[in-house]
Amino acid sequence: MRIRRLPDSLVNKIAAGEVVERPASAAKELVENALDAGASAITVDLRDGGAALIRVTDDGIGMTADELPLALERHATSKLPTDADLDAIATLGFRGEALAAIAAVSRFTVTSRARDAADGLRLGGEGGTIAQRLGVPAEPGTVVEVRDLFFNTPARLKFLKSPTTELGATLRALTQLALAHPQVQLRVAHNGRASLTAPAATVLRERAAAVWGWPITQRLLEVDRTEHGLRVHGLASPPDVTRGGRDDIVVIVNGRPVRDPVLLQAALAAYRPLVARDRFPLLVVAIDMPPADVDANVHPTKAWVRFRHPRLVQEMLVAALRETLSTPDVAPTTVAVPGAGFSTGAAREGADAASSAAEQHALFAETPAAYATGRFGRVLGQVQDTFIVATTDDEVFFLDQHVVHERVLFERLESELAAGAPPSQALLFPETVDLPPAAQALLERWRPTLERLGFEFASRDDAAVVISAVPAVLKGDEPRRLLEAAVDELGGPKPEAPAMERALAFVACRGAIKANTPLAREEMERLVADLGRTRTPYFCPHGRPIVSRVSMLDIRRELKRNW
Ligand SMILES: Nc1ncnc2c1ncn2[C@@H]1O[C@H](COP(=O)(O)OP(=O)(O)OP(=O)(O)O)[C@@H](O)[C@H]1O
Ligand SMILES: [Mg+2]
């Protein structure tokens, strides 16, 4: 075997393999270059998912005739003036690899005109070799055209998926960049048809609306927290606005969208237990920190970063999201549109509730409140033996009594668990329950969890289980029914959720007051006050909203009362 030095052309192809995995990565690199060049408008034209053509046009600073040939060489960059700059990268690019890599595996032309140059220069070629050099009239800025990606690397070409799949990946990458840089106009067209149109935005919400549409974006909540030299800011969906996948969770570090499993998990942790395991929030959060505290030079596509203080970043993200998720805005509201009645289906229900509430005038007769109930104001009464109605000066709240109680019990049990064990109630007469072997096996599997919560039971050989104690909050429940319900609930399909959380949610739900139960005023007041003191008063442990709000401002508008 002889060792030989690889020719440059092969070296470049191999290097390109790392940087350019698929059309999406090429498009991402080109748009990042345009952003680094200070562009205010970027246009991307794609054909066949990007495999046939990616053309990125920008109005950035451009390159001079001297610079342009260098830009296509490996390890040539304008972004690291000194060695030390690698320790505090402030641009999206820094290695001087991307253009060379893309050129090595495509047919390319790059046309650029520096802002103060009279005209532009075009370089063209294929497989990394420049074959054409041409002075051309051009707008200030740069156009990079990449055709037939991987035409000279058949192995890579074979791995390309269908145009639709490649387009999906490309749009995901570009959408993330669009969210990371709201002030830059970005248009993406595929086979001549617009597929993403994002006008220059002044605030993130405008940009999010271009990407996700207004109806959803309107529901997103502001995130903003600064601490320890770190700022976490952006938009987050309330727990009742979710998706079936993670595509709309975008984490941006110093302007760079990153893929970071730990941060993703941190974000999801903030939503648990408000959101079911198989549902995901919409989220765009930018984390800004000193460039020296993050290393972007750890992954060939720069999609991963390393933090100097990873724990701090995670904790800040969770804290910022938790803060957002416990603000009153998180509760669904019925929005009245002046002159147009109510705007959405959900709002329509709100309108019905409001008018039927008005008919039940007696219920609303205001008696002096025994004591103030915090953020939900005074309790007015109960509607349909199911909803507690409360009001502050600004809003009327409809609280679902079952879910209110569920949330209160859930958090109480959680803190009792943290402090030791929730109180257990021994049964005066232990009860024998017949259970099929599969159900018994299930109970055995859950035994440690159930025992921590206050259950005590013994399995007998004759397909029976003897239950001798239950969590104190469930003491009114019939033990037999309780055990059967536990088997039903815990045997159900939610395999991913941690056992304790599921069991807690079960006990809380089971112990909570049911709908259609008349309540005394004191009971309602205590419930609402307890709810006001919970960590997340707006959603039950299963993610159901607890509260619906009607703003008095909307009511006044609707009823044309001007004061
Ligand atoms: N659209 C553009 N407008 C102006 N200059 C550009 C543009 N694209 C590339 N350049 C110049 O060409 C150089 C090389 O670009 P390239 O993408 O290969 O490397 P980089 O951005 O410096 O680093 P990285 O490989 O990490 O992307 C850049 O440093 C920049 O000076
Ligand atoms: Mg670059």
Side-chain angles (χ1 to χ4, degrees):
M1 187 176 69
R2 282 190 41 217
I3 299 180
R4 68 166 183 138
R5 227 175 247 291
L6 297 177
D8 276 356
S9 59
L10 192 50
V11 170
N12 288 345
K13 265 194 199 174
I14 292 172
E18 297 227 299
V19 177
V20 192
E21 290 170 328
R22 60 196 301 186
S25 26
K28 164 191 161 296
E29 291 292 342
L30 296 177
V31 170
E32 287 185 353
N33 279 347
L35 289 166
D36 279 345
S40 59
I42 303 172
T43 306
V44 182
D45 293 296
L46 304 167
R47 216 169 307 136
D48 296 347
L53 171 75
I54 305 169
R55 184 194 302 120
V56 177
T57 308
D58 72 57
D59 61 354
I61 54 170
M63 286 168 275
T64 63
D66 296 338
E67 290 171 326
L68 187 50
L70 259 182
L72 286 162
E73 273 178 34
R74 284 192 72 201
H75 311 305
T77 179
S78 58
K79 300 172 191 176
L80 290 183
T82 71
D83 287 8
D85 292 317
L86 189 56
D87 298 328
I89 293 163
T91 46
L92 295 166
F94 52 86
R95 308 154 310 176
E97 286 268 12
L99 273 186
I102 294 167
V105 291
S106 69
R107 304 193 163 96
F108 62 93
T109 67
V110 186
T111 310
S112 195
R113 179 180 149 196
R115 277 186 186 155
D116 45 11
D119 46 23
L121 176 68
R122 173 174 301 157
L123 298 182
E126 59 178 56
T129 313
I130 298 174
Q132 181 198 44
R133 180 187 169 108
L134 207 64
V136 290
E139 294 291 316
T142 303
V143 184
V144 182
E145 227 176 70
V146 177
R147 290 177 193 276
D148 306 328
L149 197 64
F150 304 135
F151 81 99
N152 57 348
T153 50
R156 194 39 80 88
L157 192 60
K158 257 206 323 252
F159 279 102
L160 283 192
K161 308 254 168 52
S162 70
T164 325
T165 306
E166 295 301 336
L167 176 66
T170 304
L171 288 175
R172 265 197 302 282
L174 298 185
T175 300
Q176 298 204 344
L177 282 169
L179 288 167
H181 299 271
Q183 69 291 351
V184 177
Q185 174 190 307
L186 182 67
R187 292 164 184 283
V188 184
H190 182 240
N191 293 341
R193 297 195 26 208
S195 40
L196 171 67
T197 305
T202 48
V203 291
L204 177 62
R205 195 178 289 275
E206 266 174 72
R207 174 54 49 102
V211 170
W212 289 325
W214 248 128
I216 276 197
T217 302
Q218 252 176 336
R219 290 289 322 274
L220 302 183
L221 310 164
E222 300 277 343
V223 180
D224 200 345
R225 186 184 173 97
T226 305
E227 223 180 339
H228 311 298
L230 213 132
R231 178 169 179 225
V232 179
H233 58 114
L235 297 169
S237 63
D240 62 325
V241 177
T242 56
R243 302 276 216 224
R246 300 160 187 220
D247 280 357
D248 294 325
I249 301 180
V250 182
V251 178
I252 297 154
V253 175
N254 288 354
R256 181 193 309 282
V258 297
R259 215 166 0 161
D260 185 318
V262 176
L263 284 186
L264 178 71
Q265 284 316 316
L268 294 178
Y271 274 85
R272 280 195 9 242
L274 304 174
V275 167
R277 285 268 155 168
D278 54 352
R279 303 296 302 173
F280 301 90
L282 287 92
L283 197 62
V284 46
V285 274
I287 306 177
D288 299 337
M289 64 183 87
D293 286 352
V294 44
D295 186 0
N297 188 21
V298 294
H299 187 258
T301 66
K302 297 174 282 183
W304 305 63
V305 292
R306 195 180 292 142
F307 299 106
R308 192 203 286 227
H309 308 293
R311 283 302 295 258
L312 175 69
V313 180
Q314 282 162 45
E315 283 165 13
M316 277 287 294
L317 179 61
V318 173
L321 290 174
R322 288 241 163 97
E323 188 174 274
T324 296
L325 291 175
S326 56
T327 53
D329 296 344
V330 81
T333 168
T334 48
V335 186
V337 176
F342 285 79
S343 59
T344 64
R348 185 66 242 160
E349 279 170 29
D352 291 345
S355 62
S356 70
E359 281 155 25
Q360 301 179 22
H361 185 74
L363 252 185
F364 285 82
E366 295 194 21
T367 47
Y371 56 91
T373 48
R375 65 174 103 198
F376 299 108
R378 296 193 307 290
V379 168
L380 298 180
Q382 194 185 21
V383 183
Q384 297 178 345
D385 290 343
T386 296
F387 303 102
I388 301 171
V389 185
T391 185
T392 61
D393 286 348
D394 303 324
E395 287 174 307
V396 179
F397 301 96
F398 291 79
L399 302 108
D400 183 324
Q401 66 196 33
H402 172 67
V403 271
V404 170
H405 199 198
E406 211 177 343
R407 165 54 66 193
V408 169
L409 288 180
F410 185 86
E411 292 200 12
R412 184 182 306 155
L413 289 166
E414 253 184 348
S415 53
E416 284 167 354
L417 265 180
S424 171
Q425 172 81 38
L427 300 179
L428 221 42
F429 306 102
E431 189 160 331
T432 305
V433 183
D434 295 329
L435 278 184
Q440 278 204 31
L442 184 89
L443 281 181
E444 282 307 325
R445 210 167 55 238
W446 282 82
R447 176 182 285 282
T449 313
L450 293 173
E451 285 183 345
R452 274 213 67 200
L453 283 170
F455 284 96
E456 257 171 51
F457 57 93
S459 293
R460 287 201 332 214
D461 292 340
D462 57 349
V465 169
V466 183
I467 176 162
S468 52
V470 297
V473 291
L474 299 181
K475 62 173 181 253
D477 220 322
E478 206 185 312
R480 164 186 307 278
R481 292 265 202 90
L482 192 56
L483 217 51
E484 286 165 357
V487 168
D488 270 358
E489 171 67 23
L490 304 178
K494 270 186 247 153
E496 264 189 72
M500 184 50 82
E501 201 175 285
R502 278 182 73 180
L504 263 182
F506 166 72
V507 173
C509 176
R510 197 70 198 181
I513 297 165
K514 303 286 174 287
N516 300 309
T517 310
L519 296 178
R521 170 170 293 275
E522 302 73 55
E523 290 176 297
M524 293 190 266
E525 282 172 348
R526 199 178 48 227
L527 264 182
V528 173
D530 285 350
L531 179 69
R533 282 192 290 269
T534 57
R535 219 170 355 94
T536 37
Y538 300 102
F539 288 85
C540 87
H542 299 103
R544 258 169 68 190
I546 298 176
V547 186
S548 169
R549 308 179 287 157
V550 186
S551 124
M552 286 312 295
L553 201 72
D554 287 340
I555 299 282
R556 290 203 172 114
R557 241 185 247 144
E558 187 80 355
L559 302 179
K560 317 237 178 293
R561 265 216 179 259
N562 307 317
W563 45 272

